[in-house]
Structure formats: C-alpha cells, structure tokens
Amino acid sequence: MTNIKGTMLLPGDAGFEQAAKPWNLSVVQPVAAVVEAQDADDVAAVVRHARQAGLSVTAQPSGHGASGDTEGAILLRTGRLDEVRVNVDERWARVGAGARWGQVQAAAGAHGLTALAGSSPVVSVAGYTLGGGLSWFSRAYGWAADSVRAFETVDADGTMARVSADSDADLFWALRGGGGDYALVTAIEFDLYPVPDLYGGRMIWHADRTAEVLDAFREITAEAPPELSVWLNRLRFPSAPPMVAVDVTYLGESAEAQSLLSRLDKIDGVMSDTRAAMAVADLGDIAAEPKDPGPALSRAELLTGLDDAAVEILLAEPTEPLINVQLRHLGGALAEQGQAAAAAVTEPYLLYMLGLSLNPELAQAVTSAQDRLVRALDGYVSGRKAYTFLAPGERAADAFPEETAARLREIKRARDPQRVIRANFPV
C-alpha cells in the first residue's frame, strides 16, 4: 500500500506492537498490519488492497470495545478523522470516525445542545454508535444509534458513499446499532438535543451504607421520569476503603432534580457529593472513568427486576476483587423499538461488573467473581445482551431478536460475501 497518505506499520517495524494494542490492554490483537488513515481516501485504499490480497480490515479509533478477533486482519486506525462540525440552527452534528465524545460535547454544549454521549469523554463516537450507544440521556431519547441521520462509508469494494434512510435503507438500518460489520464508517451525522438545564454528579458513602443506598436507588428508579438517569456503584479501588456511590444526571432544573433525589439526602455519612448544575462539556467527569489505557475484564447482564430477593443476593455476594459492581437504570425510550437494528431493551436494569487483570491470577479471580455473581442472580438475568457492552468471547447474536440477527446476517452476505470488513462482534 504505497498510495496512502497516512502511516503503515508491519510486524517487525519499530512501534508496531504498541500501535496494535487496543484501549483494553488485556485484549491481544494479532494483526497483519496497522494503518493510521489520514482521510477517507486512505480508508478506501486499504479496503481495496485487503480485498485484492485476500485479507480483512477491522476499524478501530481506540479499541475500547476490542474483542481480539483480528487474526490476519489489517487494523485500521481512524483517529485522525476527528473533525467535529455542529449545525446549530438545525440541531445536528457531523463528526469524523476518530472523534471522541469529549470533543463533541464541548462543541455542542457551547450552543446549549447535547448529543447522546456515554459516560467517558475519550470513547470514540463511531464505535459507540455502531454498537447502539447507551447514553446518560437514552432513557429520554433512546439509543445513540436511533438519532443518526446519515453515515459516510466505504463498502467492501472500496467505494465511498453517503448512507441514509433514503439512499440505502437496509445498510442504514444495519449500521444503526447492528455493529460495524457491513461497511467502514468514516463520518456520522446525528441529531442534537436542547439542554436548557443539566444537573448531575456523584454521591459517595462508606460501604456500610450500601443497603440504605440500594433501597433509595430502587425507590427513585421505580418512579423516575425519563429525564432522570441513576446508576449505583459498589466500588472497591486498590488502596481505598470499600464504598458505594450513586451517579445521576437530570435534563432539567436543579430544584426538580433535588426533589426527585431527596431520598438520597436522608442517608447519613455522605463522604462526597458533587451534584450540581453542570455544563454539557463536563458530563464525562461524573463517573470519573480512566482516560488512559489499562488491562481490565468486564461483563454486563440485563436484569429482569430488582426485588427484595435480588437485593439480598447483591448484598450477600462479595464483590472483591471487582473494582466496580454497577447497576444502571434503563427503561424509558430504551424499551421502545425504533427504526434501527438496535434492539429495544425491556429489562429495567443493567448489571456491569469490572475488574483489573494485572496478572493471570487476578484475571482468573475477576472472572470467577463475575461468574459467581451471575449464577447467584440466575433468576434475574435475562440472558440477552446489550451489543454496546459485549465482552471478548460473547456472541453478538445474543444482543438481538432472531429476526433481527437473521436480517443482519443476510445484509452481510449480500454486501460483503468475502468478509473483507470485520467487526469486533460479527452477528
């Protein structure tokens, strides 16, 4: 590939091993080459080369959702495609495949607007959106994929196109939450939403308040309006005491949020409370997620309920060595099926379990703890998956109804029979 403007590294080249690593350093990526694309023309050139050479291409701005399924593939880095343009009057944005949510929220927030961003400002917009994208505001507006207006793509032949509901309904449907297995995305256009007021932050208590906080969490989420999102975290960071935290956002005035969350203020012993009126650009500060790569093992399950028995199980099961056992309240617009591949989620809660994998022994202990908690909650785990939370070794088909999965597989067969384009989690 001598006709690209970006950079290419092959095995044995200086810097190749580092360039091939994903964000999650516990995932090993055996790749044939790493290409840092300069623009969409580079993306098309890489695809044409891969097709002629009998190789595949997997796109990855950073690798937050890496699966390790990259044997023999060209790893296409799209981080340089990071343009962010906001149309204020019509309330939409166009962003390159390498743009990250922090950039988008800063640009949109300057005009009193927000996109459907997640909890981390360093996650790429493209990968997140192709997998559905669970936002702080998804209870009000649905999956991030539901708000996409158009994609700029490179297909398996290396042909560039603008894909919308009018130009290519099947591909447009598939890319909105069905993963990136059908075309390489170089840019996305999506709706923005007005934010006259935004309230958010985190409250933290010592772990001995966990039962009280969990009761309050259930009480609040039972009646929460779609503008309110509440997450509960059982935290066990290295060299820190065990803690319990509640993260919140509310699309509305502070006084309204404080009223909805008043149950939390009755719990004594709060160690920290950052809740306040906030700027859209600061949304990524709430959960304080790492901004640098590291080795971790995650697992997510959808829960059918959170009754007294489920709470007893959660309180009884030890969380160590997990650093976070999180409950996210779902519902609202997420339970409604839109006109995209992203599946409606009728389960009211998502359980997310995260642990470090600094060495093989710790990794095994983390996996065992995750398995143990899921087994204990067996009667509450639906068995379905949220595509955006899939972990290495899990099946994308479990994130969709069979009818949807079958349609996605047919689109793949029709568009890319040679499997030139390889998603992290093909259906």
Side-chain angles (χ1 to χ4, degrees):
M1 283 181 288
T2 59
N3 58 336
I4 63 170
K5 298 181 285 295
T7 58
M8 179 176 68
L9 294 172
L10 299 173
D13 288 347
F16 172 80
E17 290 188 7
Q18 182 63 35
K21 291 180 180 179
W23 176 271
N24 185 351
L25 298 179
S26 69
V27 177
V28 178
Q29 294 197 136
V31 297
V34 179
V35 175
E36 183 80 27
Q38 183 66 37
D39 52 26
D41 289 332
D42 274 2
V43 174
V46 170
V47 172
R48 289 193 291 268
H49 172 82
R51 187 178 185 85
Q52 294 168 1
L55 299 172
S56 60
V57 181
T58 186
Q60 203 173 86
S62 61
H64 279 80
S67 68
D69 181 21
T70 58
E71 184 71 45
I74 298 172
L75 180 62
L76 180 66
R77 298 290 193 189
T78 55
R80 296 182 187 175
L81 283 67
D82 61 354
E83 176 192 10
V84 174
R85 179 161 56 91
V86 173
N87 186 311
V88 178
D89 293 337
E90 297 180 15
R91 295 204 303 235
W92 57 269
R94 178 192 179 278
V95 308
R100 305 196 182 207
W101 278 118
Q103 297 170 256
V104 176
Q105 292 299 86
H111 303 284
L113 301 170
T114 186
L116 300 188
S119 54
S120 171
V122 299
V123 167
S124 72
V125 174
Y128 167 96
T129 304
L130 290 170
L134 180 61
S135 171
W136 282 112
F137 310 136
S138 284
R139 284 176 33 77
Y141 297 115
W143 296 105
D146 292 326
S147 293
V148 174
R149 292 179 168 211
F151 297 95
E152 293 175 24
T153 67
V154 174
D155 68 13
D157 293 323
T159 302
M160 290 186 282
R162 185 178 187 274
V163 176
S164 66
D166 295 329
S167 69
D168 192 336
D170 280 346
L171 183 56
F172 184 63
W173 173 85
L175 290 173
R176 287 189 299 156
D181 206 26
Y182 319 99
L184 293 178
V185 170
T186 57
I188 305 177
E189 295 175 13
F190 50 81
D191 291 326
L192 299 174
Y193 299 91
V195 186
D197 297 284
L198 176 62
Y199 178 91
R202 166 175 279 186
M203 299 182 76
I204 302 176
W205 298 262
H206 190 273
D208 60 11
R209 300 290 182 178
T210 300
E212 295 174 75
V213 175
L214 192 45
D215 281 345
F217 174 76
R218 284 202 299 165
E219 182 179 316
I220 292 168
T221 57
E223 302 293 337
E227 295 79 13
L228 178 66
S229 289
V230 187
W231 302 351
L232 181 142
N233 308 272
R234 296 185 67 186
L235 304 171
R236 184 118 191 182
F237 299 129
S239 304
M243 298 173 287
V244 61
V246 172
D247 299 335
V248 303
T249 62
Y250 181 67
L251 286 165
E253 296 180 355
S254 298
E256 296 170 350
Q258 290 163 358
S259 177
L260 291 166
L261 299 167
S262 60
R263 178 69 176 80
L264 294 171
D265 296 315
K266 299 175 183 177
I267 303 174
D268 293 332
V270 65
M271 299 164 59
S272 173
D273 186 356
T274 64
R275 296 175 303 161
M278 65 184 304
V280 166
D282 297 330
L283 195 67
D285 295 341
I286 295 175
E289 294 179 2
K291 295 182 179 180
D292 296 312
L297 294 170
S298 65
R299 179 172 176 178
E301 301 288 350
L302 294 170
L303 301 183
T304 58
L306 199 59
D307 60 17
D308 290 345
V311 168
E312 287 183 16
I313 293 169
L314 287 167
L315 293 173
E317 288 294 326
T319 60
E320 198 174 6
L322 302 178
I323 60 173
N324 192 4
V325 174
Q326 183 184 76
L327 291 169
R328 296 192 184 193
H329 184 217
L330 304 178
L334 289 165
E336 304 168 6
Q337 182 62 53
Q339 301 299 312
V345 176
T346 57
E347 295 90 341
Y349 297 98
L350 181 139
L351 172 70
Y352 179 71
M353 300 161 286
L354 180 68
L356 299 176
S357 56
L358 301 173
N359 55 63
E361 294 76 18
L362 180 57
Q364 180 57 53
V366 165
T367 300
S368 296
Q370 292 167 343
D371 290 343
R372 183 175 62 247
L373 183 52
V374 171
R375 285 195 303 270
L377 289 167
D378 179 61
Y380 300 92
V381 174
S382 71
R384 290 189 56 217
K385 294 285 183 176
Y387 191 105
T388 194
F389 281 96
L390 289 174
E394 294 185 328
R395 298 174 65 251
D398 292 334
F400 304 103
E402 178 50 37
E403 181 180 356
T404 299
R407 183 180 174 187
L408 289 169
R409 288 191 290 266
E410 179 54 36
I411 291 172
K412 177 64 174 180
R413 283 192 293 268
R415 305 299 180 112
D416 184 16
Q418 294 180 222
R419 302 196 67 81
V420 176
I421 296 168
R422 189 190 305 185
N424 283 339
F425 299 95
V427 177

